């Protein structure tokens, strides 16, 4: 197993921020898990000028496995990381030093985690984004995460319906 600690060190004057949200779908956990671990879910659905890429050092690796590098970049952001632990119902992405939103001085992503749980009539998806934020941006960052991730559930359900 790949041993990773947090690759994005916390600057002394930054605060920890953790945003966690649950989403529900009528699709099975297997369908949701396959969707969450398909690189095309993220590479084919980006709005220009943003882009998501997955890079493998060892070309024999699958697209989604521990140690695969990932970057989500565009104007005013660079979220580069490495896929950490991936096991049934859990996936971890740890961000690398140098990742930022708006500026390295204000917001630095640390970790993005997904969990899936089978329910009576579908699946619950939980996401958690951990970041380091300067105190002056903490409130607006918290508000903006609710706005940004609020769309994820609708996008997930739409995207899952389109899958074959």
């Amino acid at each position: 197993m790949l041993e990773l600690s947090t690759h994005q060190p916390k600057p002394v004057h930054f605060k920890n921020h953790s945003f966690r949200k649950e989403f529900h779908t009528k699709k099975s956990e297997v369908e949701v898990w396959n969707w969450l671990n398909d690189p095309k879910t993220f590479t084919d659905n980006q709005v220009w000028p943003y882009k998501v890429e997955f890079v493998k050092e060892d070309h024999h690796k699958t697209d989604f496995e521990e140690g695969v590098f990932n970057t989500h970049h565009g104007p005013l952001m660079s979220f580069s990381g490495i896929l950490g632990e991936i096991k049934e119902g859990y996936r971890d992405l740890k961000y690398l030093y140098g990742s930022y939103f708006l500026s390295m001085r204000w917001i630095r992503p640390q970790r993005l985690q997904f969990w899936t749980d089978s329910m009576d009539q579908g699946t619950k998806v939980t996401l958690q984004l951990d970041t380091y934020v300067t105190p002056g941006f903490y409130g607006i960052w918290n508000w903006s995460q609710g706005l940004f991730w609020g769309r994820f559930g609708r996008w997930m359900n739409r995207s899952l319906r389109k899958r074959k």
Side-chain angles (χ1 to χ4, degrees), residues 96-114:
L96 302 170
Y97 179 71
S99 294
Y100 68 92
F101 182 73
L102 297 178
S103 169
M104 283 281 289
R105 294 178 179 214
W106 297 329
I107 301 163
R108 299 183 188 187
Q110 174 199 15
R111 189 176 196 184
L112 177 64
Q113 299 171 87
F114 284 97

Side-chain angles (χ1 to χ4, degrees), residues 14-26:
F14 279 53
K15 290 176 66 176
N16 289 319
H17 182 275
S18 187
F19 181 83
R20 189 175 182 109
K21 189 158 177 73
E22 293 180 359
F23 305 93
H24 299 271
T25 181
K26 292 181 181 178

